[in-house]
């Protein structure tokens, strides 16, 4: 049988996010995994075996049969996913879009460039239009920081209906968010690490860019401050955030709950394969969401909210949880690539 799915490549396929991308791409209805790379030192090796394959016989190339390319070698696939660390992304990503590829990046280095969209399709799929201002033959699209994705999904319906004025948040971030090998096990035993270097700074600009407007072809970021404290906790997967927010009109917790529960986002009609039925789900009960119980909702693409209540300092406070490797990273990049395909951008690739 002829496999007419679009060939794609994964840069950084041996890392935590890259492995999750390979897993999600196995058996994907639109894309087939055709090329992978790790570091230059690993080129020529067979891609690591052992991850779960949901695609079975529908996968045209078994992940374990692919050989790792050298990152500097030519790539053939029109769509490339970057799960590279920041230093390697800075070295390779622009070169690849200059060669005509659509590159969907999970790395942080280009997220805040004014000509690069920072996209969560349910919130700001229309921001994709700014790629027309990019000077390259190809296109560069980014997804946000894993913890920021949780905050942005929770704030999106509130900003749309009420208007966000101020945000204070503390994150409790999973071990897997630190990548491979992550923090030493001993440092998290009976402990919480009250610093994740470089993480809190991402909250000062990324949520506002995602929730911003397009004005004269340029993104005008939303105008509200975020005060963030980021911690690492002994949880395998799933970032949990405690959020307090000031909203225009000082709505009640009941009004906020209703708006959050009804949120479906702006791209539901596109029928993207990775779009969950509910991008945001409000959990009943006083003890939810919990990482172990709720991180896999919507196949890991649904953010869950709970304990929506009055805040004694701002207006409303709540908890929000996201699977950091799926909605916060690999699944987010895959959904952005699906958006590019649905919007007809892939045919313009090299």
């Amino acid at each position: 049988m002829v496999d007419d799915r679009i060939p794609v490549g994964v840069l950084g396929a041996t890392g935590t996010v890259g492995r999750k991308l390979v897993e999600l791409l196995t058996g994907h209805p639109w894309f087939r995994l055709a090329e992978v790379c790790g570091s230059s030192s690993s080129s020529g090796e067979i891609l690591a075996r052992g991850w779960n394959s949901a695609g079975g016989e529908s996968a045209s190339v078994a992940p374990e049969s692919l050989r790792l390319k050298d990152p500097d070698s030519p790539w053939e696939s029109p769509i490339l996913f970057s799960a590279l660390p920041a230093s390697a992304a800075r070295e390779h990503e622009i070169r690849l879009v200059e060669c005509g590829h659509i590159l969907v990046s999970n790395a942080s280095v280009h997220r805040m460039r004014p000509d690069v969209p920072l996209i969560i399709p349910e919130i700001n799929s229309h921001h994709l239009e700014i790629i027309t201002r990019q000077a390259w033959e190809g296109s560069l699209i980014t997804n946000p920081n894993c913890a920021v994705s949780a905050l942005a999904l929770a704030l999106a319906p509130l900003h749309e209906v009420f208007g966000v004025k101020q945000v204070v948040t503390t994150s409790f971030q999973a071990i897997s968010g630190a990548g491979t090998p992550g923090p030493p096990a001993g440092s998290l035993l009976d402990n919480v690490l009250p610093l994740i270097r470089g993480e809190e700074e991402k909250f000062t600009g990324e949520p506002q860019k995602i929730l911003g407007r397009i004005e004269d072809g340029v993104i005008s970021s939303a105008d509200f401050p975020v005060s963030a404290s980021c911690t690492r906790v002994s949880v395998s997967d799933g970032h949990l955030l405690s959020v307090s927010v000031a909203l225009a009109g000082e709505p009640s917790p009941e009004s906020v709950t209703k708006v959050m529960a009804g949120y479906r986002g702006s791209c539901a009609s596109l029928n993207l394969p990775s779009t969950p039925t509910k991008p945001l789900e409000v959990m009943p009960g006083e003890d939810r969401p919990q990482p172990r119980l709720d991180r896999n909702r919507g196949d890991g693409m649904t953010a869950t909210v709970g304990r929506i209540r009055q805040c004694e300092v701002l207006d409303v406070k709540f908890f929000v949880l996201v699977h950091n490797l799926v909605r916060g990273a690999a699944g987010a990049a895959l959904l952005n690539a699906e958006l590019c395909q649905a919007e007809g951008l892939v045919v313009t690739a090299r």
Side-chain angles (χ1 to χ4, degrees):
M1 294 179 62
V2 176
D3 190 338
D4 59 358
R5 293 177 297 165
I6 298 166
V8 301
V10 175
L11 293 89
T14 57
T16 304
V17 174
R19 285 174 177 260
K20 180 59 70 173
L21 264 167
V22 170
E23 179 185 330
L24 295 177
L25 283 165
T26 304
H28 191 278
W30 292 4
F31 306 137
R32 64 175 177 86
L33 183 62
E35 302 173 277
V36 290
C37 81
S39 63
S40 297
S41 62
S42 66
S43 62
E45 297 178 5
I46 298 294
L47 183 60
R49 303 172 185 269
W51 41 58
N52 294 328
S53 172
E57 295 180 358
S58 65
S60 62
V61 179
E64 60 268 22
S65 71
L66 291 172
R67 287 193 179 274
L68 294 165
K69 300 167 64 83
D70 188 294
D72 290 318
S73 63
W75 291 72
E76 300 298 327
S77 301
I79 300 176
L80 301 178
F81 295 93
S82 174
L84 295 170
S87 58
R90 187 175 289 109
E91 177 184 354
H92 294 292
E93 289 186 351
I94 298 301
R95 173 181 61 82
L96 289 165
V97 293
E98 287 176 340
C99 291
H101 299 280
I102 291 176
L103 192 142
V104 184
S105 177
N106 183 72
S108 62
V109 291
H110 301 301
R111 286 177 188 154
M112 298 308 295
R113 282 184 60 135
D115 58 345
V116 172
L118 180 60
I119 289 182
I120 297 176
E122 292 94 340
I123 300 174
N124 64 337
S125 60
H126 60 288
H127 284 193
L128 201 60
E129 71 182 66
I130 71 168
I131 66 171
T132 60
R133 291 180 171 261
Q134 294 179 354
W136 312 300
E137 183 181 346
S139 302
L140 177 58
I141 298 98
T142 62
N143 56 271
N145 167 268
C146 45
V148 167
S149 66
L151 182 64
L153 280 163
L155 294 181
L158 305 183
H159 194 57
E160 179 181 316
V161 174
F162 306 115
V164 173
K165 296 168 62 178
Q166 299 175 65
V167 180
V168 178
T169 183
T170 298
S171 71
F172 307 91
Q173 297 182 218
I175 300 168
S176 59
T180 305
S187 68
L188 281 171
L189 181 63
D190 191 30
N191 203 17
V192 173
L193 304 182
L195 171 66
I196 304 176
R197 294 194 184 279
E199 198 79 351
E200 293 168 4
E201 293 84 346
K202 295 167 186 174
F203 284 83
T204 64
E206 290 187 24
Q208 297 87 342
K209 183 175 181 178
I210 294 164
L211 296 172
R213 304 183 307 275
I214 299 284
E215 297 179 349
D216 298 323
V218 177
I219 296 174
S220 175
S221 293
D223 185 20
F224 58 83
V226 177
S227 174
S229 299
C230 297
T231 75
R232 185 77 66 197
V233 297
S234 186
V235 170
S236 60
D237 299 310
H239 290 351
L240 182 69
L241 278 68
S242 173
V243 182
S244 294
V245 58
L247 300 166
E250 301 179 0
S252 67
E254 292 75 21
S255 296
V256 166
T257 300
K258 182 177 180 180
V259 166
M260 284 182 155
Y263 185 67
R264 294 297 179 271
S266 60
C267 69
S269 62
L270 295 177
N271 295 317
L272 306 180
S274 299
T275 302
T277 302
K278 294 181 179 180
L280 192 65
E281 183 173 359
V282 176
M283 302 293 299
E286 296 182 347
D287 60 349
R288 304 289 280 277
Q290 297 179 29
R292 191 167 59 186
L293 299 180
D294 301 312
R295 61 193 170 208
N296 290 316
R297 289 185 176 274
D299 293 325
M301 291 295 285
T302 293
T304 51
V305 176
R307 296 201 66 205
I308 303 172
R309 60 211 191 278
Q310 199 77 43
C311 178
E312 295 80 0
V313 177
L314 301 180
D315 292 320
V316 175
K317 56 186 178 182
F318 54 84
F319 284 89
V320 58
L321 170 74
V322 72
H323 194 307
N324 54 294
L325 293 183
V326 186
R327 170 57 86 165
L334 183 55
L335 189 61
N336 281 347
E338 293 169 359
L339 176 64
C340 291
Q341 166 64 8
E343 295 292 348
L345 296 179
V346 178
V347 296
T348 66
R350 60 190 298 272

